[in-house]
Amino acid sequence: MAKEPVRVLVTGAAGQIGYALVPMIARGVMLGADQPVILHLLDIPPAAEALNGVKMELVDAAFPLLKGVVATTDVVEACTGVNIAVMVGGFPRKEGMERKDVMSKNVSIYKSQASALEKHAAANCKVLVVANPANTNALILKEFAPSIPEKNITCLTRLDHNRALGQVSERLNVQVSDVKNVIIWGNHSSTQYPDVNHATVKTPSGEKAVRELVADDAWLTGEFITTVQQRGAAIIKARKLSSALSAASSACDHIRDWVLGTPEGTWVSMGVYSDGSYNVPSGLIYSFPVTCQNGEWKIVQGLSIDEFSRKKLDATADELSEEKALAYSCLS
């Protein structure tokens, strides 16, 4: 029997990431090749014409799984009945802007979208925040949508996770699908900590530790970390535009694993509401290693944290605490 369509909201849908993301969702990359979808596309009034152009192209592509498109600049219409919300829209930092100015713009955006989701989304709606500062935008959304369970509000660090997998696979000249269990800890910013201490590679003679195969601690604690942390800036330098294709693809990965589950023995990185695990202050949206089953994520427990890692985990938590304070000061 055919499945009921799932309603997926994409905000900022006329933008670069949105344009890359919506065909992936319509093709079944996010929810599976047998799951029909109805896309809800939201953008701001100045982008209404471009948004309509995206809708036209979705119609023209004749995706078999796409059962409808709602393209609107009205936040209530966009949020009504949605099962999954991918929050790509936000206010980007422009030259000469102070962090507080950017934060204050995003606080007002996420405040209004939070209340629309809370009032109009389907029960148990899953939310993924992509727009930067992603962790803190997700925290604001959580504050203003108190009836959405905190476990349903996440932010995207899968892009950083995938970047780390990519760097290891390039370094070792192995298939990226054979590398697993890297971790991104903390903030989706340049303080994030890409950690390979528990990562492995599938080899003809069984699974081997990444650290053992790379056999270059200086690279793993130096260039590897900074490359992953600053990859977004490197792509802007090369393309003169921010990463869209990889961001869209990792958003699909995040939701797919959350909804359909992670493979046995594999974890992924998700920005989730901290419960104090690994001595990370509770009340932050922080990236942890998680496994997913039956539509629920769970933080992987009991991993050893060495002294080098501890400092990195604490530094990115400190930055998130500062961002949180800054965001809350915009509310007063």
Side-chain angles (χ1 to χ4, degrees), residues 126-284:
K126 287 179 160 56
V127 183
L128 167 61
V129 177
V130 176
N132 286 322
N135 301 57
T136 301
N137 284 343
L139 195 61
I140 293 298
L141 196 144
K142 183 202 154 295
E143 285 297 306
F144 288 97
S147 72
I148 298 177
E150 60 196 31
K151 66 180 171 50
N152 283 21
I153 296 174
T154 65
C155 81
L156 187 71
T157 56
R158 183 61 174 269
L159 176 54
D160 310 297
H161 181 99
N162 288 351
R163 285 167 171 165
L165 293 175
Q167 288 304 304
V168 170
S169 96
E170 296 265 287
R171 179 77 176 193
L172 294 173
N173 197 23
V174 296
Q175 295 297 317
V176 74
S177 53
D178 289 337
V179 186
K180 70 174 190 181
N181 295 354
V182 299
I183 302 168
I184 303 296
W185 298 98
N187 198 0
H188 174 62
S189 75
S190 59
T191 68
Q192 63 173 263
Y193 172 42
D195 176 6
V196 297
N197 286 322
H198 309 277
T200 60
V201 178
K202 192 161 85 185
T203 74
S205 56
E207 286 193 351
K208 295 265 168 65
V210 164
R211 193 170 279 285
E212 180 192 323
L213 291 176
V214 169
D216 184 346
D217 281 0
W219 183 75
L220 285 172
T221 55
E223 191 188 331
F224 164 73
I225 290 176
T226 53
T227 300
V228 175
Q229 286 173 334
Q230 294 163 17
R231 187 69 161 184
I235 286 165
I236 290 173
K237 191 163 183 267
R239 285 189 75 228
K240 312 295 177 270
L241 293 162
S242 60
S243 38
L245 175 163
S246 53
S249 180
S250 60
C252 289
D253 291 345
H254 175 113
I255 296 287
R256 187 186 62 246
D257 285 344
W258 189 4
V259 172
L260 301 177
T262 45
E264 187 68 37
T266 301
W267 63 65
V268 294
S269 301
M270 284 171 66
V272 298
Y273 197 65
S274 169
D275 60 358
S277 292
Y278 296 100
N279 291 331
V280 170
S282 49
L284 297 175

